[in-house]
Amino acid sequence: MVSVFWQLCVYKMRFSDIFLCFLLELSYLRSMITIGEMQISGTLTMLMLSVMMILCVPRHSRHSGSFAKARWIMAAGTGLISLQFLLQYIIGFRQMGITQGVLLNLLLFMPASMLCCMAILYVQLQGHVARKNWIVGGGICGLSALILISTVLLDGIPLQQESKVLRMTEYIGAVLYVVMQTYVFVLQLKAYRTLSQAVEEYYDSERRDLFNWMGLSMKAMTLLAFLVPLIIFMDGKPLVLFSLAYFLCISYIAISFYSYGISENMMYVEEAESESVNDILNANENCDIDGGNNSNNLTKSDQQRQRVEEALKQWTDSGAYREHNLTIAVVARQMGLPQKQLQEWLRQSEYKKLAGLVTTLRIEEAKRVLKEHPDWSVESVADHCGFNDRKYFHQVFLQYTGTTPAKFQQEE
């Protein structure tokens, strides 16, 4: 079961793959005889994920900053879920069909969800998660736990019996679950947008493939949280389907997180993000130094713009834009310009980012080559112009020209 998730995550999991995996998981669990066996399956699977986070990490990833600590946070989250399944199996509240089963879900699933999401946030922000964020998220979880436990102690009804007061309190806990998850989602969304902008400005092509799993994970966890007040109190198939969806979601997040942490993708993203942070810090320092003389700043800005445009012309004439896998740092070095200066010029230009500039130049070169060399294959043209593969070249050429490379070549 875990190996299926692993294969899908490593080989760029698509939504259709996820849906197929969900159907397979549903068929597998429906073939089980009892709820207890389902709980044992959840216990062992989540435990395996926790062990994977702690032990099965290459040495270079153990010392890679944010991931080194974030994996322990993720392991704690999956460990709590494993504990929840184990306690449900031992105590048997779900088998009894009483509301105390919901109590265990809320007490352990809520902090587990927060920890899994905070692990993602920790990686997004390279470990710079504010203490306030932990206090707010943990405070909501603590408040929910305090309300639930206080009700159990003051209600006076044995745990093995149904309690209407406890059920009403559990609705409050479910709402707090939604509030907590929404709060963490807002934090993740801000970090995700900052991350996306940094990567888009740093590389010569769209590279969201490096961290697409983050967006899907964020949305899935938030959607499931909003379903908690509606489904967690139900019995039968709705509850089974929701449990499977939650189980699948956590498994996908954990394995995608692990795959990301041990791959080079995280290194590429952190490189782009670090450069973006340094650029902002340098810009703020320059503003503090030059803030008193606006006329001098305008003159300096005009001079810098002229310098960038001259360097850009020389760089374009050299054909350096046809190199593969360019970054803003490499291009600035080739032009002999400070990276911050080039990045600021791009933001104010029609190109907006490095990918816009490089892609425009490469498409113009591709059009020239297609005209002058009709015997060249599309793959050869793409490689000559700096595109990494035919599919991406086809997509970008169609976007910029309204036709495909093959049709453009035939028309000429």
Coordinates of all heavy atoms in Angstrom, one line a residue, residues 136-184:
V136 N -0.3 30.4 18.1 CA -1.7 30.5 17.6 C -2.2 29.2 17.2 O -3.3 28.7 17.7 CB -1.8 31.5 16.5 CG1 -3.3 31.5 15.9 CG2 -1.5 32.9 16.9
G137 N -1.5 28.4 16.4 CA -1.9 27.1 15.9 C -2.0 26.2 17.1 O -3.0 25.5 17.3
G138 N -1.0 26.1 17.9 CA -1.0 25.2 19.1 C -2.0 25.6 20.1 O -2.6 24.8 20.8
G139 N -2.3 27.0 20.2 CA -3.3 27.5 21.2 C -4.7 27.0 20.8 O -5.5 26.6 21.7
I140 N -5.0 27.0 19.5 CA -6.3 26.6 19.1 C -6.5 25.1 19.4 O -7.5 24.6 19.9 CB -6.5 26.9 17.6 CG1 -6.5 28.4 17.3 CG2 -7.9 26.3 17.1 CD1 -6.5 28.7 15.9
C141 N -5.4 24.3 19.1 CA -5.5 22.9 19.4 C -5.6 22.6 20.9 O -6.4 21.8 21.3 CB -4.2 22.2 18.9 SG -4.1 22.1 17.1
G142 N -4.9 23.4 21.7 CA -5.0 23.3 23.1 C -6.3 23.6 23.7 O -6.8 23.0 24.6
L143 N -6.9 24.7 23.1 CA -8.2 25.1 23.6 C -9.3 24.0 23.3 O -10.1 23.7 24.1 CB -8.6 26.4 22.9 CG -10.0 27.0 23.2 CD1 -10.2 27.3 24.7 CD2 -10.3 28.2 22.3
S144 N -9.2 23.4 22.1 CA -10.1 22.4 21.8 C -10.0 21.2 22.7 O -10.9 20.6 23.2 CB -9.9 21.9 20.3 OG -10.7 20.8 20.0
A145 N -8.7 20.8 23.0 CA -8.4 19.7 23.9 C -8.9 20.0 25.3 O -9.5 19.1 26.0 CB -6.9 19.3 23.9
L146 N -8.7 21.2 25.7 CA -9.2 21.6 27.1 C -10.7 21.5 27.2 O -11.2 21.0 28.2 CB -8.7 23.0 27.4 CG -9.1 23.6 28.7 CD1 -8.4 22.8 29.9 CD2 -8.7 25.1 28.8
I147 N -11.4 22.0 26.2 CA -12.9 21.9 26.2 C -13.3 20.5 26.3 O -14.2 20.1 27.0 CB -13.4 22.7 25.0 CG1 -13.1 24.2 25.2 CG2 -14.9 22.4 24.9 CD1 -13.5 25.0 23.9
L148 N -12.7 19.6 25.4 CA -13.2 18.2 25.3 C -12.9 17.5 26.6 O -13.7 16.8 27.1 CB -12.5 17.6 24.1 CG -12.9 18.1 22.7 CD1 -12.0 17.5 21.7 CD2 -14.4 17.7 22.4
I149 N -11.7 17.6 27.1 CA -11.3 16.9 28.3 C -12.1 17.3 29.5 O -12.5 16.5 30.4 CB -9.8 17.0 28.6 CG1 -9.0 16.3 27.4 CG2 -9.4 16.4 29.9 CD1 -7.5 16.5 27.5
S150 N -12.3 18.7 29.6 CA -13.1 19.2 30.7 C -14.5 18.7 30.7 O -15.1 18.3 31.8 CB -13.1 20.7 30.7 OG -11.8 21.3 30.8
T151 N -15.1 18.5 29.5 CA -16.4 18.0 29.4 C -16.5 16.6 29.9 O -17.4 16.1 30.6 CB -16.9 18.1 27.9 OG1 -16.9 19.5 27.5 CG2 -18.3 17.6 27.8
V152 N -15.5 15.8 29.5 CA -15.4 14.4 29.9 C -15.3 14.2 31.4 O -16.0 13.4 32.1 CB -14.2 13.6 29.3 CG1 -14.0 12.3 29.9 CG2 -14.4 13.5 27.8
L153 N -14.5 15.1 32.1 CA -14.3 15.1 33.5 C -15.5 15.6 34.3 O -15.9 15.1 35.4 CB -13.1 15.9 33.9 CG -11.8 15.3 33.3 CD1 -10.6 16.3 33.7 CD2 -11.5 13.9 33.9
L154 N -16.3 16.6 33.7 CA -17.4 17.2 34.5 C -18.7 16.6 34.1 O -19.7 16.8 34.8 CB -17.4 18.7 34.2 CG -16.1 19.5 34.6 CD1 -16.2 20.9 34.2 CD2 -15.9 19.4 36.1
D155 N -18.8 15.9 33.0 CA -20.1 15.4 32.5 C -20.6 14.3 33.5 O -21.9 14.2 33.7 CB -19.9 14.8 31.1 CG -21.2 14.4 30.5 OD1 -22.2 15.0 30.9 OD2 -21.2 13.6 29.6
G156 N -19.8 13.5 34.0 CA -20.2 12.5 35.0 C -20.8 11.2 34.3 O -21.2 10.3 35.0
I157 N -20.8 11.1 33.0 CA -21.3 9.9 32.3 C -20.1 9.1 31.9 O -19.1 9.6 31.4 CB -22.1 10.3 31.0 CG1 -23.3 11.1 31.4 CG2 -22.5 9.1 30.2 CD1 -24.1 11.6 30.2
P158 N -20.1 7.8 32.2 CA -19.0 6.9 31.9 C -18.6 7.0 30.4 O -19.5 7.2 29.5 CB -19.5 5.5 32.2 CG -20.6 5.8 33.3 CD -21.2 7.1 32.9
L159 N -17.4 6.8 30.1 CA -16.9 6.9 28.7 C -17.6 5.9 27.8 O -17.7 6.1 26.6 CB -15.4 6.7 28.6 CG -14.5 7.9 29.0 CD1 -13.1 7.6 29.0 CD2 -14.8 9.1 28.0
Q160 N -18.0 4.7 28.3 CA -18.6 3.7 27.5 C -20.0 4.0 27.1 O -20.7 3.2 26.4 CB -18.5 2.3 28.2 CG -17.1 1.7 28.3 CD -16.3 2.4 29.4 OE1 -16.8 3.2 30.2 NE2 -15.0 2.2 29.3
Q161 N -20.6 5.1 27.6 CA -22.0 5.5 27.4 C -22.1 6.7 26.5 O -21.2 7.6 26.6 CB -22.8 5.7 28.7 CG -22.8 4.4 29.5 CD -23.6 4.7 30.8 OE1 -24.4 5.7 30.9 NE2 -23.5 3.8 31.8
E162 N -23.1 6.8 25.7 CA -23.4 8.0 24.9 C -23.7 9.2 25.7 O -24.4 9.1 26.7 CB -24.5 7.7 23.9 CG -24.8 8.8 22.9 CD -23.7 8.9 21.8 OE1 -23.0 7.9 21.6 OE2 -23.6 9.9 21.2
S163 N -23.1 10.3 25.3 CA -23.3 11.6 26.1 C -23.6 12.7 25.1 O -22.9 13.1 24.2 CB -22.0 12.0 26.8 OG -22.1 13.3 27.4
K164 N -24.8 13.3 25.3 CA -25.3 14.4 24.4 C -24.4 15.7 24.7 O -24.1 16.4 23.7 CB -26.8 14.7 24.7 CG -27.7 13.6 24.2 CD -29.1 14.0 24.5 CE -30.1 12.9 24.0 NZ -31.5 13.2 24.2
V165 N -24.1 15.9 25.9 CA -23.3 17.0 26.2 C -21.9 17.0 25.6 O -21.4 17.9 25.0 CB -23.1 17.2 27.8 CG1 -22.1 18.3 28.1 CG2 -24.4 17.4 28.5
L166 N -21.3 15.8 25.6 CA -20.0 15.6 24.9 C -20.1 15.8 23.4 O -19.2 16.4 22.8 CB -19.5 14.2 25.3 CG -18.1 13.8 24.6 CD1 -17.0 14.8 25.1 CD2 -17.7 12.4 25.0
R167 N -21.2 15.3 22.9 CA -21.4 15.4 21.4 C -21.5 16.9 21.0 O -20.9 17.3 20.0 CB -22.6 14.7 21.0 CG -22.9 14.8 19.5 CD -24.0 13.9 19.0 NE -23.6 12.5 19.0 CZ -23.1 11.9 17.9 NH1 -23.0 12.6 16.8 NH2 -22.7 10.7 17.9
M168 N -22.2 17.7 21.8 CA -22.3 19.1 21.5 C -20.9 19.8 21.7 O -20.5 20.7 20.8 CB -23.3 19.8 22.5 CG -24.7 19.4 22.3 SD -25.3 19.8 20.6 CE -25.1 21.6 20.6
T169 N -20.1 19.4 22.6 CA -18.8 19.9 22.8 C -17.9 19.5 21.6 O -17.0 20.3 21.2 CB -18.2 19.4 24.1 OG1 -19.1 19.7 25.2 CG2 -16.8 20.1 24.4
E170 N -18.1 18.3 21.1 CA -17.3 17.9 20.0 C -17.6 18.7 18.7 O -16.7 18.9 17.9 CB -17.6 16.4 19.7 CG -17.0 15.5 20.8 CD -17.5 14.1 20.7 OE1 -18.5 13.8 19.9 OE2 -16.8 13.2 21.3
Y171 N -18.8 19.2 18.6 CA -19.1 20.1 17.5 C -18.2 21.4 17.6 O -17.7 21.9 16.6 CB -20.6 20.4 17.4 CG -21.4 19.4 16.7 CD1 -22.3 18.6 17.4 CD2 -21.3 19.3 15.3 CE1 -23.0 17.6 16.7 CE2 -22.1 18.3 14.6 CZ -22.9 17.5 15.3 OH -23.7 16.6 14.6
I172 N -18.1 21.9 18.8 CA -17.3 23.0 19.0 C -15.8 22.7 18.7 O -15.1 23.5 18.0 CB -17.3 23.5 20.5 CG1 -18.8 23.9 20.8 CG2 -16.4 24.6 20.8 CD1 -19.0 24.3 22.3
G173 N -15.4 21.5 19.1 CA -14.0 21.1 18.7 C -13.8 21.0 17.2 O -12.7 21.3 16.7
A174 N -14.8 20.5 16.5 CA -14.7 20.4 15.1 C -14.6 21.7 14.4 O -13.9 21.9 13.4 CB -16.0 19.6 14.5
V175 N -15.4 22.7 14.9 CA -15.3 24.1 14.4 C -13.9 24.7 14.6 O -13.3 25.3 13.8 CB -16.4 25.0 15.0 CG1 -16.2 26.4 14.6 CG2 -17.8 24.5 14.6
L176 N -13.4 24.4 15.8 CA -12.0 24.9 16.1 C -11.0 24.2 15.2 O -10.0 24.8 14.8 CB -11.7 24.6 17.6 CG -12.4 25.5 18.6 CD1 -12.1 25.0 20.0 CD2 -12.0 26.9 18.4
Y177 N -11.2 23.0 14.8 CA -10.4 22.3 13.8 C -10.4 23.1 12.5 O -9.3 23.3 12.0 CB -11.0 20.9 13.6 CG -10.1 19.9 12.9 CD1 -10.2 18.5 13.0 CD2 -9.0 20.4 12.0 CE1 -9.4 17.6 12.3 CE2 -8.2 19.5 11.4 CZ -8.4 18.1 11.5 OH -7.6 17.2 10.8
V178 N -11.5 23.5 12.1 CA -11.6 24.3 10.8 C -10.9 25.6 11.0 O -10.1 26.0 10.1 CB -13.1 24.5 10.4 CG1 -13.2 25.4 9.2 CG2 -13.8 23.2 10.2
V179 N -11.0 26.2 12.1 CA -10.4 27.5 12.4 C -8.8 27.3 12.3 O -8.1 28.1 11.7 CB -10.8 28.1 13.7 CG1 -10.0 29.4 14.1 CG2 -12.3 28.5 13.7
M180 N -8.4 26.3 13.0 CA -6.9 26.1 13.0 C -6.4 25.8 11.7 O -5.4 26.4 11.2 CB -6.6 24.9 14.0 CG -5.1 24.5 14.1 SD -4.5 23.4 12.7 CE -5.5 22.0 13.0
Q181 N -7.1 24.9 10.9 CA -6.6 24.6 9.6 C -6.6 25.8 8.6 O -5.8 25.9 7.8 CB -7.5 23.4 9.0 CG -6.9 22.8 7.8 CD -5.6 22.1 8.1 OE1 -5.5 21.3 9.0 NE2 -4.5 22.4 7.3
T182 N -7.7 26.6 8.8 CA -7.7 27.8 7.9 C -6.6 28.7 8.2 O -6.0 29.3 7.3 CB -9.1 28.5 8.2 OG1 -10.2 27.6 7.9 CG2 -9.2 29.8 7.3
Y183 N -6.3 28.9 9.5 CA -5.2 29.8 9.9 C -3.8 29.3 9.3 O -3.1 30.1 8.7 CB -5.1 29.8 11.4 CG -3.8 30.5 11.9 CD1 -3.8 31.9 11.9 CD2 -2.7 29.8 12.5 CE1 -2.6 32.6 12.4 CE2 -1.6 30.5 12.9 CZ -1.6 31.9 12.9 OH -0.5 32.6 13.3
V184 N -3.6 28.0 9.4 CA -2.3 27.4 8.9 C -2.3 27.5 7.4 O -1.3 27.8 6.7 CB -2.1 26.0 9.3 CG1 -0.9 25.4 8.7 CG2 -2.1 25.9 10.9

